[in-house]
Amino acid sequence: GSTTRTAESEASASTKADKKPAALVTPPLYNFRTSLSHSWINQLSPEDPENLERSLSQYSNGKGSNRGGGGGHPGRPVFNGHYVSVRPTPLKNPKLIIASPEMLEELGFHPDEAETEPFVKYFSGDVDGAFENMDDFTLKNDQDADDEGMKKEKSVETWATPYALSIMGRRYTNNCPYGTGDGYGDGRAISVGEIVVPHRKKSEESSSSKDGKESEESERESDSHDDPDPHTAKRWELQLKGAGQTPFCRGADGRAVLRSSIREFLASEAMHHLGISTTRALSLVVSDSPGGDTSTRPWYSGQKKTELPKMDDPRLAQYDEEQRREILSQLAVQAKSDPDMLVEEKCAITTRVSPSFVRIGHLDLFARRVEMLPMEQTDKKKDTPKLVKETLRYQELEDMMWHACYREFYEEAYAPYHETGDVVSAAKALMEGSMVRIADMVGGWLR
């Protein structure tokens, strides 16, 4: 019996060993770079030069801001556009704490890539330094290497987005630094790319039956990510949380600390495996000491303690045991004090991943701006009436709606209506699909 079990164990171990991935045959991040496909950048618009100049003028003069403007802080109002280009601020002395093997595989990374210097650099915010030592890295092995459009598509783009704020259905602007809502957006989260990961082909799946030479060639084909069609593949967006200040950063340092980053990494992966809709976590990188980045955060000294009644307190005698437990639980919540000290903590960056980071607030921001327009505008150049649908604000709203359809409900809301420009049907399909998904997500929270 024991001999049989030992033989079975050895056979099982041998099988697992046989399934080890082939060695990494391309430079680190090669597949990632060649998989870039930035639909947010390609389909949507940055702020126009006129509004950018107006924003920078207000920022430098300190008009309408509770920060006084200037002073090296990048916060400023963003009056139009769907994104602003902004580079992450790299962590000093970055060290990988953890990477999700499941997400590495899902995103097309080789298991060994997470330990490489380029991977740690990129996902600690040094998106340019991650590629600096690669010889003629950009598409040198691709047949389209000389195509300028292809080079642009595979360039490293990073951006932050504006959106509106509502709480329980009530629209807010009063805690925006400018009182207008033009300061809301990604204050410390920066998107560092969208990638399209092709499904494995049948030829690749059957490669295990081929001889060694053919298998190696198949592995190389699999590593090349040579299927660019986003509709035969899966799209993922990667976002660095705690990547530094952006124009939407309302006075803070744009950083996250290790304590909260650990919580975000573990909670998102746990929720996913419990079947609750959530973003995923790819990696967690800390700014290690000595010489690393730190931030000051409020915390609890533990000295403020409120004495709570016991279960046998005479004042609770009139209640049954369940009622007493409920009362004590409520008292414990009420007794919690606010943070009463400041502590210095290591900075960290969590890379969160999702098929899309489109928010309700993205649509609501541009809808509000359209609602602020009168029914007719005056074309200043021609001094003639101009319909709302002919304005830049309306075009930005419609573009945002189409992009939400493209990212979230391609088959249901985008493909059937985009070519004919049927905005009403597309918007209806988007609303109906969102209603179901949001209800499902909230149901997951409650259970």
Side-chain angles (χ1 to χ4, degrees):
S2 61
T3 304
T4 303
R5 283 193 296 272
T6 301
E8 290 174 349
S9 298
E10 290 175 353
S12 176
S14 176
T15 302
K16 289 180 180 178
D18 292 342
K19 291 184 178 180
K20 286 183 179 179
L24 184 62
V25 295
T26 55
L29 301 185
Y30 181 83
N31 286 348
F32 175 77
R33 181 72 174 266
T34 56
S35 298
L36 291 172
S37 176
H38 307 303
S39 67
W40 193 285
I41 302 295
N42 295 335
Q43 296 181 11
L44 299 175
S45 308
E47 55 190 328
D48 62 31
E50 182 181 346
N51 277 300
L52 174 59
E53 183 179 350
R54 175 182 163 210
S55 170
L56 292 174
S57 173
Q58 287 200 13
Y59 161 68
S60 60
N61 294 331
K63 294 178 181 178
S65 171
N66 60 9
R67 290 188 299 269
H73 196 285
R76 60 181 178 83
V78 176
F79 300 113
N80 85 306
H82 302 98
Y83 65 91
V84 291
S85 295
V86 58
R87 275 304 199 235
T89 304
L91 291 176
K92 296 176 184 175
N93 197 18
K95 176 184 176 183
L96 180 71
I97 297 295
I98 189 172
S100 165
E102 187 176 314
M103 285 311 298
L104 284 169
E105 181 179 4
E106 183 71 40
L107 297 172
F109 287 106
H110 189 280
D112 295 340
E113 280 186 88
E115 300 292 339
T116 65
E117 183 180 4
F119 183 96
V120 176
K121 276 190 172 184
Y122 197 91
F123 295 108
S124 64
D126 190 3
V127 296
D128 298 306
F131 301 115
E132 62 187 1
N133 295 322
M134 296 185 185
D135 296 331
D136 192 23
F137 172 77
T138 305
L139 305 172
K140 69 174 183 177
N141 294 323
D142 290 359
Q143 59 183 0
D144 296 317
D146 295 327
D147 183 85
E148 288 301 319
M150 181 64 72
K151 287 181 179 179
K152 182 180 179 182
E153 171 70 15
K154 304 304 179 186
S155 65
V156 177
E157 300 278 0
T158 58
W159 64 94
T161 64
Y163 44 78
L165 173 66
S166 291
I167 300 175
M168 298 182 69
R170 179 181 176 185
R171 290 174 166 179
Y172 278 81
T173 58
N174 59 313
N175 58 344
C176 164
Y178 318 103
T180 59
D182 294 319
Y184 291 136
D186 295 322
R188 58 174 180 169
I190 299 175
S191 291
V192 292
E194 290 176 45
I195 62 172
V196 170
V197 184
H199 297 308
R200 287 178 61 85
K201 300 172 184 177
K202 291 181 180 179
S203 60
E204 294 168 6
E205 292 170 354
S206 61
S207 64
S208 58
S209 63
K210 300 179 181 179
D211 60 39
K213 182 179 179 181
E214 289 175 328
S215 268
E216 184 177 343
E217 289 175 354
S218 180
E219 283 290 343
R220 289 177 181 270
E221 289 175 9
S222 177
D223 278 348
S224 72
H225 282 211
D226 56 359
D227 182 357
D229 185 356
H231 309 305
T232 60
K234 185 142 188 182
R235 178 177 295 274
W236 293 98
E237 185 171 340
L238 297 92
Q239 196 175 79
L240 304 187
K241 178 72 173 288
Q245 296 172 326
T246 78
F248 308 105
C249 192
R250 292 177 283 164
D253 60 7
R255 289 301 194 190
V257 296
L258 180 59
R259 167 178 47 83
S260 59
S261 299
I262 291 172
R263 182 174 64 240
E264 171 143 0
F265 187 101
L266 294 178
S268 61
E269 288 301 281
M271 287 174 67
H272 169 75
H273 287 283
L274 288 169
I276 301 170
S277 299
T278 183
T279 57
R280 302 296 303 277
L282 170 64
S283 62
L284 171 58
V285 180
V286 67
S287 186
D288 206 14
S289 54
D293 296 302
T294 59
S295 288
T296 302
R297 293 290 187 265
W299 198 237
Y300 306 86
S301 66
Q303 297 176 357
K304 291 185 177 181
K305 293 184 179 179
T306 303
E307 202 65 38
L308 295 174
K310 305 293 184 184
M311 282 288 287
D312 58 358
D313 190 295
R315 291 171 293 179
L316 301 176
Q318 59 182 307
Y319 303 105
D320 62 34
E321 183 176 349
E322 184 177 347
Q323 290 173 321
R324 276 179 278 166
R325 290 188 187 279
E326 185 175 345
I327 291 170
L328 291 179
S329 176
Q330 292 173 352
L331 290 173
V333 171
Q334 294 171 7
K336 285 185 178 178
S337 59
D338 293 328
D340 58 347
M341 62 180 292
L342 294 174
V343 294
E344 201 77 13
E345 301 189 59
K346 292 181 179 180
C347 293
I349 289 178
T350 304
T351 301
R352 53 189 184 186
V353 186
S354 177
S356 163
F357 285 102
V358 175
R359 298 168 176 255
I360 295 173
H362 284 123
L363 288 160
D364 191 28
L365 173 66
F366 298 102
R368 293 188 200 188
R369 289 175 175 173
V370 169
E371 288 173 4
M372 292 170 63
L373 294 171
M375 290 305 294
E376 286 191 352
Q377 301 295 296
T378 298
D379 190 324
K380 294 180 180 179
K381 295 180 180 179
K382 300 179 181 179
D383 196 28
T384 56
K386 187 177 183 181
L387 297 176
V388 166
K389 287 188 177 182
E390 297 173 355
T391 64
L392 175 62
R393 291 188 185 186
Y394 182 85
Q395 189 59 54
E396 287 183 330
L397 171 60
E398 185 173 323
D399 289 346
M400 188 70 246
M401 190 278 299
W402 281 120
H403 185 71
C405 293
Y406 178 86
R407 295 289 291 275
E408 300 287 346
F409 303 99
Y410 183 86
E411 297 295 338
E412 301 86 352
Y414 186 85
Y417 307 117
H418 184 256
E419 189 172 341
T420 60
D422 188 349
V423 175
V424 174
S425 296
K428 183 179 179 182
L430 175 64
M431 293 290 287
E432 289 175 345
S434 299
M435 176 181 65
V436 173
R437 281 194 192 170
I438 292 171
D440 180 67
M441 177 182 67
V442 174
W445 295 346
L446 294 176
R447 68 178 174 82

